[in-house]
Amino acid sequence: MTPLLVILSAPSGTGKTTIARALRTSRDDVGFSISATTRARRDGEEEGVDYFFLTANAFQRKIDAEEFVEWARYGKERYGTLASEVRRILDSGKHAVLDIEIQGARMVRERVANVVSIFILPPSAEALQERLAGRSTEDDEALAARLALAVEELEAAPEYDYIVVNEDRAQAVADVAGIIDAESHRASRLTDLDATIERLGDELENLARSTKA
Ligand code: 5GP
């Protein structure tokens, strides 16, 4: 199997994290990159499982130390993919899935060859609003800001290789799994595994160097 770098993006509230969780439990050949973020922990989230929750200063130190493959501002917070996370997953021979927003996705897609990018669409605007409103940690202002961001994000959907509509969660999980399976069987990807890992590692190191703020 050729390990892939897979980007999953969606407006928040689309159910992407739930899809990602289901994929994690159903597939042991898929590893999820745990991002760093400056945002506050939500109820039920765990440090080092859902995110590495950092202070703004700690996040900045990681930017300065060139530890990120990519990072982006989202609303008032910052989020970033650690090169060490992607390395950890690829070194274990698994597909590395990055659950990231559109700016980070653009950066990774532009600079790393053969990335598979998947955009998840909500079934309707109402469904998205309901999911966002259901989050107890969001106040009205944060909710309005997230909805505005969602409109902007939806416009980026055509930049992605694949679109999955989250009408039915089980189907959406099966769709994402099917895309990963098909992509990993592409003839053009069936190169020597060690060479692939080496190449991705080199590309990621270059990327980390060039994303230094
Ligand atoms: P949330 O706060 O709802 O967990 O995430 C907000 C947005 O940040 C989501 O679209 C999520 O995909 C994105 N995100 C999470 N981790 C990263 C990351 O490491 N880099 C980037 N660019 N976006 C991320």
Side-chain angles (χ1 to χ4, degrees), residues 8-13 16-17 33-37 39-40 42 45 50-51 59 68 70-74 77-82 98-105 132 135 138 146 153:
L8 267 191
S9 295
S12 78
K16 176 184 47 165
T17 307
S33 160
I34 300 164
S35 296
T37 182
R39 84 145 161 76
R42 294 193 188 117
E45 286 183 335
D50 298 285
Y51 281 107
F59 196 99
F68 288 116
E70 62 74 35
W71 67 269
R73 288 192 171 80
Y74 185 83
E77 306 297 344
R78 289 190 286 178
Y79 295 81
T81 304
L82 294 160
L98 312 184
D99 169 347
I100 61 178
E101 53 66 67
I102 59 171
Q103 304 164 70
L132 283 178
R135 271 185 197 155
E138 309 274 305
R146 279 188 183 255
E153 290 179 299

